[in-house]
PDB file of all heavy atoms in Angstrom:
ATOM      1  N   LYS A1318     -34.793 -30.301  -0.630  1.00 90.00           N
ATOM      2  CA  LYS A1318     -34.613 -29.642  -1.925  1.00 90.00           C
ATOM      3  C   LYS A1318     -34.369 -28.148  -1.769  1.00 90.00           C
ATOM      4  O   LYS A1318     -33.727 -27.521  -2.611  1.00 90.00           O
ATOM      5  CB  LYS A1318     -35.832 -29.886  -2.819  1.00 90.00           C
ATOM      6  CG  LYS A1318     -35.972 -31.330  -3.276  1.00 90.00           C
ATOM      7  CD  LYS A1318     -37.156 -31.504  -4.206  1.00 90.00           C
ATOM      8  CE  LYS A1318     -37.272 -32.949  -4.683  1.00 90.00           C
ATOM      9  NZ  LYS A1318     -38.443 -33.136  -5.594  1.00 90.00           N
ATOM     10  N   HIS A1360     -16.690 -36.780 -24.078  1.00 98.00           N
ATOM     11  CA  HIS A1360     -17.307 -36.955 -22.759  1.00 98.00           C
ATOM     12  C   HIS A1360     -16.291 -36.623 -21.676  1.00 98.00           C
ATOM     13  O   HIS A1360     -15.102 -36.934 -21.800  1.00 98.00           O
ATOM     14  CB  HIS A1360     -17.768 -38.407 -22.558  1.00 98.00           C
ATOM     15  CG  HIS A1360     -18.842 -38.833 -23.499  1.00 98.00           C
ATOM     16  ND1 HIS A1360     -20.164 -38.936 -23.119  1.00 98.00           N
ATOM     17  CD2 HIS A1360     -18.792 -39.180 -24.812  1.00 98.00           C
ATOM     18  CE1 HIS A1360     -20.892 -39.331 -24.150  1.00 98.00           C
ATOM     19  NE2 HIS A1360     -20.075 -39.483 -25.194  1.00 98.00           N
ATOM     20  N   THR A1410     -11.629 -43.823 -15.104  1.00 98.00           N
ATOM     21  CA  THR A1410     -11.522 -43.488 -16.519  1.00 98.00           C
ATOM     22  C   THR A1410     -12.644 -44.134 -17.306  1.00 98.00           C
ATOM     23  O   THR A1410     -13.473 -44.870 -16.759  1.00 98.00           O
ATOM     24  CB  THR A1410     -10.164 -43.952 -17.080  1.00 98.00           C
ATOM     25  OG1 THR A1410      -9.932 -45.321 -16.701  1.00 98.00           O
ATOM     26  CG2 THR A1410      -9.027 -43.105 -16.544  1.00 98.00           C
ATOM     27  N   ALA A1421     -14.593 -47.209 -15.403  1.00 98.00           N
ATOM     28  CA  ALA A1421     -13.880 -47.865 -14.303  1.00 98.00           C
ATOM     29  C   ALA A1421     -13.606 -46.823 -13.237  1.00 98.00           C
ATOM     30  O   ALA A1421     -13.117 -45.723 -13.545  1.00 98.00           O
ATOM     31  CB  ALA A1421     -12.572 -48.473 -14.799  1.00 98.00           C
ATOM     32  N   ALA A1429     -18.018 -49.718  10.269  1.00 91.00           N
ATOM     33  CA  ALA A1429     -18.551 -49.133  11.504  1.00 91.00           C
ATOM     34  C   ALA A1429     -17.487 -48.397  12.305  1.00 91.00           C
ATOM     35  O   ALA A1429     -17.799 -47.477  13.073  1.00 91.00           O
ATOM     36  CB  ALA A1429     -19.193 -50.220  12.352  1.00 91.00           C
ATOM     37  N   TYR A1675     -10.825 -13.259 -21.863  1.00 98.00           N
ATOM     38  CA  TYR A1675     -10.161 -12.947 -23.123  1.00 98.00           C
ATOM     39  C   TYR A1675      -8.997 -13.892 -23.385  1.00 98.00           C
ATOM     40  O   TYR A1675      -8.560 -14.651 -22.505  1.00 98.00           O
ATOM     41  CB  TYR A1675      -9.661 -11.497 -23.110  1.00 98.00           C
ATOM     42  CG  TYR A1675      -8.725 -11.140 -21.975  1.00 98.00           C
ATOM     43  CD1 TYR A1675      -7.359 -11.427 -22.037  1.00 98.00           C
ATOM     44  CD2 TYR A1675      -9.205 -10.502 -20.830  1.00 98.00           C
ATOM     45  CE1 TYR A1675      -6.516 -11.091 -20.993  1.00 98.00           C
ATOM     46  CE2 TYR A1675      -8.360 -10.165 -19.777  1.00 98.00           C
ATOM     47  CZ  TYR A1675      -7.021 -10.460 -19.867  1.00 98.00           C
ATOM     48  OH  TYR A1675      -6.170 -10.132 -18.831  1.00 98.00           O
ATOM     49  N   GLU A1676      -8.500 -13.823 -24.620  1.00 98.00           N
ATOM     50  CA  GLU A1676      -7.276 -14.504 -25.034  1.00 98.00           C
ATOM     51  C   GLU A1676      -6.289 -13.439 -25.476  1.00 98.00           C
ATOM     52  O   GLU A1676      -6.630 -12.526 -26.226  1.00 98.00           O
ATOM     53  CB  GLU A1676      -7.550 -15.466 -26.190  1.00 98.00           C
ATOM     54  CG  GLU A1676      -6.309 -16.139 -26.741  1.00 98.00           C
ATOM     55  CD  GLU A1676      -6.578 -16.941 -28.008  1.00 98.00           C
ATOM     56  OE1 GLU A1676      -7.758 -17.078 -28.401  1.00 98.00           O
ATOM     57  OE2 GLU A1676      -5.592 -17.423 -28.620  1.00 98.00           O
ATOM     58  N   CYS A1692      -5.334  -8.457 -14.974  1.00 97.00           N
ATOM     59  CA  CYS A1692      -6.367  -8.219 -13.961  1.00 97.00           C
ATOM     60  C   CYS A1692      -5.917  -7.114 -13.003  1.00 97.00           C
ATOM     61  O   CYS A1692      -5.947  -7.271 -11.771  1.00 97.00           O
ATOM     62  CB  CYS A1692      -6.686  -9.495 -13.201  1.00 97.00           C
ATOM     63  SG  CYS A1692      -7.203 -10.860 -14.274  1.00 97.00           S
ATOM     64  N   GLY A1785       1.220  -8.059 -30.515  1.00 96.00           N
ATOM     65  CA  GLY A1785       0.219  -8.831 -29.812  1.00 96.00           C
ATOM     66  C   GLY A1785      -1.175  -8.656 -30.354  1.00 96.00           C
ATOM     67  O   GLY A1785      -1.453  -7.705 -31.112  1.00 96.00           O
TER      68      GLY A1785
END
Side-chain angles (χ1 to χ4, degrees):
K1318 291 183 179 180
H1360 296 257
T1410 49
Y1675 57 82
E1676 176 188 354
C1692 303

